[in-house]
Amino acid sequence: MVQFEHQSVMPKEVLDLLVTDATGVYVDATLGAGGHALKLLQTYPDLRLIGVDQDAYALSYATDRLAAYTDRCNVLKGNFRYLTALLASIGVRQVSGILFDLGVSSPQLDQRERGFSYQQEDAPLDMRMDLDNPLTAFRLINQRPEQEIRHALQTFGEERWAARIAQFIVQARQVEPIRTSGQLVDIIRAAVPAAARRSGGHPARRTFQALRIWVNDELGALNEGLEEGWHVLVPSGRLVVIAFHSLEDRIVKNRFRDWSTQSEGRLVTRHPLMANAQELADNPRSRSAKLRAVEKLTH
Ligand SMILES: C[S@@+](CC[C@H](N)C(=O)[O-])C[C@H]1O[C@@H](n2cnc3c(N)ncnc32)[C@H](O)[C@@H]1O
């Protein structure tokens, strides 16, 4: 039995900023373990919730957790980049608010066989959030040209040693396929000069981040998901987004700013909210979280 524990980030802030109509229809576009969704359903007895996730494990867990609310809660498997179609599949065209709590959940990181964590020895190089996606980290690492790998590590990992790591990966895979997280971590350690390895955290952190973003096309999905979300949002409804690294947060910040300068939206948070000291102490995952909210204007 998989342990499926995930501490929701900034739950109070999410509720305060997201809900403008206590009887409205809300979407949790990243249902995960269902923590935010459960809070919304418990706090607002007349609110309807639609939970979306592309990870079948998360959906199954969240479905059990939300079982007491089936009369006003739907759970849908899919990628939020297709939000309009997902909602249309259950006859919903407009919603009062949408939450995006991005990235991976703690259970995804902890399940060894998912291959998300550089701390797991000898996990398969998978990293798919959606197990129906045919593209795995194994395929990218073993089949893509060196310059594509370098570019991905630079763009999605902001990895300073991208060129050397890509070169070492290609050399290693000529001997035998790179199958496990442990093999990849060893290759990265060999590629990063010793002096650089002594600072800046785990040497594989940025490469693993880059691969995860690449496998799941996280930035593409975020760009499209925000557009889709904006499209189905009612006037005076809100999008709330929690981002966990600067690449995601930049996309959110720029999109929200554009809507605001085009007078389509109003920034509810001028600057991103961060977790308070208590939450930082209780939940290390909240350390890098940045929450932004925007409201759609009525024309
Ligand atoms: C940080 S967790 C959400 C945790 C949740 N808010 C809670 O309180 O339990 C992020 C979830 O979003 C899902 N996810 C990430 N990108 C997605 C996408 N493009 N479409 C659908 N689900 C996505 C992941 O599979 C993961 O389960």
Side-chain angles (χ1 to χ4, degrees), residues 15 41 64 142 146 231:
L15 262 65
L41 288 161
D64 285 350
N142 286 286
E146 182 177 330
H231 174 70

Side-chain angles (χ1 to χ4, degrees), residues 24-42:
V25 178
Y26 286 82
V27 174
D28 183 341
T30 50
L31 188 61
H36 286 116
L38 187 62
K39 268 239 153 356
L40 281 162
L41 288 161
Q42 285 170 336

Side-chain angles (χ1 to χ4, degrees), residues 172-237:
R173 77 188 191 190
Q174 279 159 3
V175 181
E176 58 170 342
I178 304 163
R179 294 193 182 281
T180 66
S181 51
Q183 273 174 288
L184 183 58
V185 168
D186 288 345
I187 293 165
I188 297 166
R189 278 194 209 283
V192 175
R197 259 186 278 135
R198 281 192 284 276
S199 61
H202 195 291
R205 189 176 62 82
R206 289 173 181 277
T207 297
F208 272 63
Q209 172 184 305
L211 284 172
R212 202 196 84 197
I213 293 174
W214 195 11
V215 167
N216 297 287
D217 187 22
E218 290 181 38
L219 304 183
L222 176 57
N223 267 307
E224 290 173 24
L226 290 176
E227 285 304 325
E228 294 259 308
W230 197 243
H231 174 70
V232 295
L233 199 62
V234 293
S236 69

Side-chain angles (χ1 to χ4, degrees), residues 90-146:
I90 53 163
V92 172
R93 312 230 165 269
Q94 283 211 304
V95 298
S96 303
I98 306 171
L99 169 66
F100 295 87
D101 176 18
L102 299 168
V104 279
S105 63
S106 309
Q108 286 169 329
L109 284 172
D110 294 344
Q111 273 177 278
R112 191 194 72 85
E113 67 278 14
R114 305 295 297 268
F116 283 111
S117 170
Y118 51 79
Q119 274 152 353
Q120 301 275 8
E121 279 288 303
D122 296 328
L125 287 173
D126 190 317
M127 300 199 192
R128 290 169 300 167
M129 292 187 203
D130 179 355
L131 294 177
D132 296 328
N133 169 11
L135 191 67
T136 60
F138 174 85
R139 283 179 59 177
L140 294 176
I141 284 290
N142 286 286
Q143 295 173 0
R144 293 300 172 91
E146 182 177 330

